[in-house]
Amino acid sequence: MNFRSTCKACISLFRIRMAEGLQYRVSAISGVFVSVFWGLLECVLFTVFYTYSDNGAWNNNGLALPQTISYVWLAQGLFVLQTMSIDSEIMGKINNGDVGVELCRPLNLYTHWFVKSSAGKLGTAWLRSLATILAGLLMPAGYALGAPASALGFACFLLSAGMAFVLCSSFAMFVTAIRLNITWGDGPTYMLLLFSGILSGTYLPLRLWPDFMQTFLYLQPFGGFADIPVQLYIGSLTPSAALPAIGLQFFWSIVFIAAGRTIMNHKLKNIIVQGG
Amino acid sequence: MIAEGKIYFKYLRMHLLSGMEYKGWWLMLIQVLVVVISDPIATVLLFSRFGNIGEWTVAHIILVYALAVASFGLAESLCRGFDYFPWQMLRSGDFDRLLLRPRSLFVQVAASRFHLHRLVRPVTGICAVGWALSELGVSLTPGKLLILVLALAGGCIMYCGVFVLTSGLAFFTIKGLDWIYLLTNASYQITRCPEPYMPRALKSMFSFVLPMLFISFYPAAAVCGWNYPQWLGYLALPAGAAFLCFSLLVWCFGVRHYKSTGS
């Protein structure tokens, strides 16, 4: 099958899913509500810690308070790109045996699902993400999202955020490929998603984790979901460090795509189609 | 009343036994345990980096937080059906069948789901309360134990109220109920913030709209003898009951105006 028809199929899949995502505006609004509340709560918490705690004023925390507040809002904005669960349509296909039908299509299954799940994610996420960040900009002074550290930093942030989307999608597909083992159930994939969420920095900015873990936290794949782009924005990673950081995101995307493809191809050789 | 109670426990037993039929059922216990333990990690890490906030140590926060989480977990175990109601019952039209049965609707919906692994949360929470109390050097007298039990009961009732409220509202909206997350999983996160430093708006919202502080902070203060009026610690049960009453009103109103959905 040639390259051009694959591209064409992918683009139309993408358009369908984007339009579909826009159908659920009410749920997007209520999602924004939750994100903003969550962001505010984190802001309050960090303000309390930075202002009243024993070591708060002694500024050796890697991040200053305004930086942390900006971090919170941007991380909330990027959080929606992360997979919380496998795309429900694909999940349904795995569970009820429609995988068989999907395999009949003249399109590589991995490519097909990759486009489908990433487009599905982006379709619902971009609106929610922008609205959350806008809300962060409109907050009263102490809790507002600050300006980027530099223009160059902002450019790096945009680039890195795009890369984060690719990384999140490839990780989601990696998890989906693992989920093809129906007999394992939800357990392993759920654990993977949970750990990736904790290590992505949306839980707690990675700079605020214990110092001895910092090297590990920088090198592990999940920091690329949110931590690296946000740090580029707030300036705790300088633009000169941007290239290795984005390179790291790129490296892990390749690893996840390769691993996902391998697992999927291996699994498809002797897949058991469920249901009927 | 007794007959309804019997039915409720029969339902629970049935769900329990059917859940045990799956060989890997205990895997879910471990999974939930990991979720429950990883949740307060951010707070613990913050304390380890920033040190104590005035008199507030990590044990203070864990005590208040664990009380809230345990009561949430209890409600989640006992009223799980309401949590699923808008998604699984209402939209599919299964609710119509319940209306035909000559039994209490509340019991039927509440017991329509039960998962053993949901009990991991309250058990872990209660253990954490015990740890925090020993860390703070508080010895338990019968009076203090009573306050804690009342707090858990009140909290459980309050969160049941939240689930019932969700279901009641679902009659009118059918979709777009994600914001209810604020009242469930997000609500106990506010206990991570020490009460004296909490902004006033947040404090009043979570004591008068959702009586969160009454079921977690004030009982903890009464037990440990922090400088708050003792009687505030006993308000958990009435506050929770008031919230549940309000939710039941919404629910009953919803049931009366219910037009079938689905096929």
Side-chain angles (χ1 to χ4, degrees):
Chain A
M1 190 205 28
N2 66 29
F3 182 70
R4 251 185 76 197
S5 63
T6 308
C7 275
K8 242 173 120 182
C10 288
I11 290 170
S12 26
L13 266 174
F14 209 83
R15 272 181 40 203
I16 294 171
R17 290 305 296 264
M18 286 293 275
E20 220 175 73
L22 273 180
Q23 300 288 311
Y24 298 104
R25 265 158 301 190
V26 180
S27 109
I29 291 170
S30 93
V32 171
F33 215 63
V34 175
S35 299
V36 171
F37 175 82
W38 197 268
L40 268 177
L41 194 63
E42 298 263 286
C43 288
V44 168
L45 204 66
F46 284 122
T47 312
V48 168
F49 268 100
Y50 271 94
T51 321
Y52 300 105
S53 73
D54 294 348
N55 306 334
W58 167 68
N59 198 352
N60 195 15
N61 299 314
L63 293 175
L65 179 59
Q67 280 182 316
T68 312
I69 302 251
S70 300
Y71 192 115
V72 167
W73 289 114
L74 288 175
Q76 281 300 326
L78 287 177
F79 174 66
V80 283
L81 291 180
Q82 282 177 34
T83 340
M84 301 309 289
S85 56
I86 296 172
D87 187 277
S88 59
E89 196 185 324
I90 292 178
M91 193 66 215
K93 286 191 170 139
I94 293 176
N95 276 339
N96 66 18
D98 280 351
V99 182
V101 179
E102 297 281 285
L103 281 172
C104 297
R105 293 181 210 273
L107 193 61
N108 180 290
L109 187 65
Y110 184 88
T111 319
H112 180 184
W113 278 6
F114 188 96
V115 173
K116 208 172 211 179
S117 70
S118 61
K121 197 79 210 159
L122 196 63
T124 45
W126 70 270
L127 199 64
R128 189 174 158 184
S129 167
L130 285 185
T132 310
I133 290 175
L134 186 72
L137 284 171
L138 295 176
M139 285 292 146
Y143 292 155
L145 170 61
S150 61
L152 192 58
F154 187 66
C156 292
F157 161 72
L158 289 181
L159 193 64
S160 177
M163 207 59 228
F165 172 62
V166 176
L167 181 59
C168 286
S169 311
S170 54
F171 179 66
M173 274 312 290
F174 172 70
V175 173
T176 311
I178 292 179
R179 187 63 181 79
L180 272 177
N181 285 302
I182 297 205
T183 42
W184 289 3
D186 279 326
T189 53
Y190 189 80
M191 289 294 192
L192 269 175
L193 292 174
L194 182 74
F195 282 120
S196 71
I198 293 174
L199 290 174
S200 70
T202 37
Y203 240 54
L204 178 72
L206 294 186
R207 276 290 168 102
L208 298 182
W209 286 55
D211 287 325
F212 67 88
M213 292 175 75
Q214 289 302 325
T215 324
F216 162 71
L217 288 172
Y218 177 71
L219 291 177
Q220 49 97 12
F222 308 118
F225 285 6
D227 189 67
I228 289 175
V230 177
Q231 286 212 46
L232 286 169
Y233 181 95
I234 60 177
S236 60
L237 269 182
T238 52
S240 59
L243 204 60
I246 297 175
L248 199 66
Q249 285 179 307
F250 186 70
F251 167 72
W252 280 115
S253 311
I254 299 288
V255 169
F256 281 134
I257 291 176
R261 265 185 187 277
T262 317
I263 294 176
M264 202 172 218
N265 287 338
H266 182 75
K267 188 67 206 161
L268 286 181
K269 266 185 206 141
N270 47 6
I271 193 166
I272 304 164
V273 174
Q274 306 269 330
Chain B
M1 194 72 192
I2 294 170
E4 304 292 358
K6 258 188 191 159
I7 289 175
Y8 179 80
F9 284 107
K10 223 173 209 168
Y11 262 117
L12 291 197
R13 188 160 169 268
M14 183 182 82
H15 288 304
L16 184 67
L17 290 179
S18 73
M20 299 277 239
E21 285 297 309
Y22 293 94
K23 265 181 228 139
W25 63 271
W26 51 272
L27 275 174
M28 280 303 276
L29 298 185
I30 300 174
Q31 189 175 318
V32 178
L33 189 68
V34 172
V35 174
V36 173
I37 290 178
S38 67
D39 199 45
I41 274 186
T43 313
V44 175
L45 287 178
L46 272 179
F47 268 101
S48 79
R49 182 172 277 274
F50 286 95
N52 300 337
I53 304 177
E55 291 179 341
W56 284 74
T57 61
V58 77
H60 289 75
I61 294 281
I62 291 288
L63 174 62
V64 180
Y65 174 83
L67 270 178
V69 169
S71 43
F72 175 70
L74 274 180
E76 208 186 26
S77 315
L78 301 179
C79 250
R80 189 72 183 148
F82 275 104
D83 199 16
Y84 274 91
F85 177 78
W87 284 267
Q88 308 254 319
M89 249 183 189
L90 194 60
R91 229 174 280 165
S92 64
D94 281 347
F95 184 56
D96 300 15
R97 256 189 294 166
L98 297 194
L99 284 170
L100 292 175
R101 296 180 192 151
R103 293 291 180 196
S104 151
L105 264 184
F106 186 87
V107 167
Q108 285 188 64
V109 177
S112 64
R113 295 255 163 182
F114 176 75
H115 292 136
L116 186 67
H117 59 257
R118 296 285 157 195
L119 278 172
V120 171
R121 203 191 285 268
V123 171
T124 323
I126 290 168
C127 292
V129 170
W131 173 83
L133 283 177
S134 72
E135 193 77 355
L136 292 171
V138 178
S139 53
L140 279 179
T141 57
K144 287 177 177 175
L145 206 58
L146 177 73
I147 296 180
L148 287 180
V149 170
L150 280 180
L152 283 180
C156 175
I157 289 177
M158 183 195 86
Y159 274 117
C160 286
V162 172
F163 292 138
V164 174
L165 182 68
T166 321
S167 307
L169 290 176
F171 283 115
F172 304 103
T173 59
I174 311 289
K175 251 193 174 178
L177 268 172
D178 295 356
W179 60 268
I180 208 77
Y181 187 73
L182 291 186
L183 299 185
T184 57
N185 293 57
S187 66
Y188 58 74
Q189 300 293 340
I190 67 139
T191 54
R192 282 162 55 193
C193 183
E195 195 265 357
Y197 302 100
M198 226 185 260
R200 189 165 296 241
L202 206 60
K203 215 188 283 187
S204 41
M205 178 181 163
F206 281 100
S207 32
F208 299 116
V209 181
L210 185 72
M212 190 68 217
L213 291 176
F214 286 105
I215 63 128
S216 57
F217 175 74
Y218 291 121
V223 168
C224 298
W226 301 333
N227 281 331
Y228 288 86
Q230 186 80 13
W231 56 269
L232 279 174
Y234 292 96
L235 283 183
L237 204 53
F243 192 80
L244 180 63
C245 282
F246 167 73
S247 307
L248 279 176
L249 281 181
V250 175
W251 161 257
C252 289
F253 187 74
V255 172
R256 221 175 312 132
H257 289 252
Y258 172 65
K259 296 189 192 79
S260 181
T261 51
S263 53

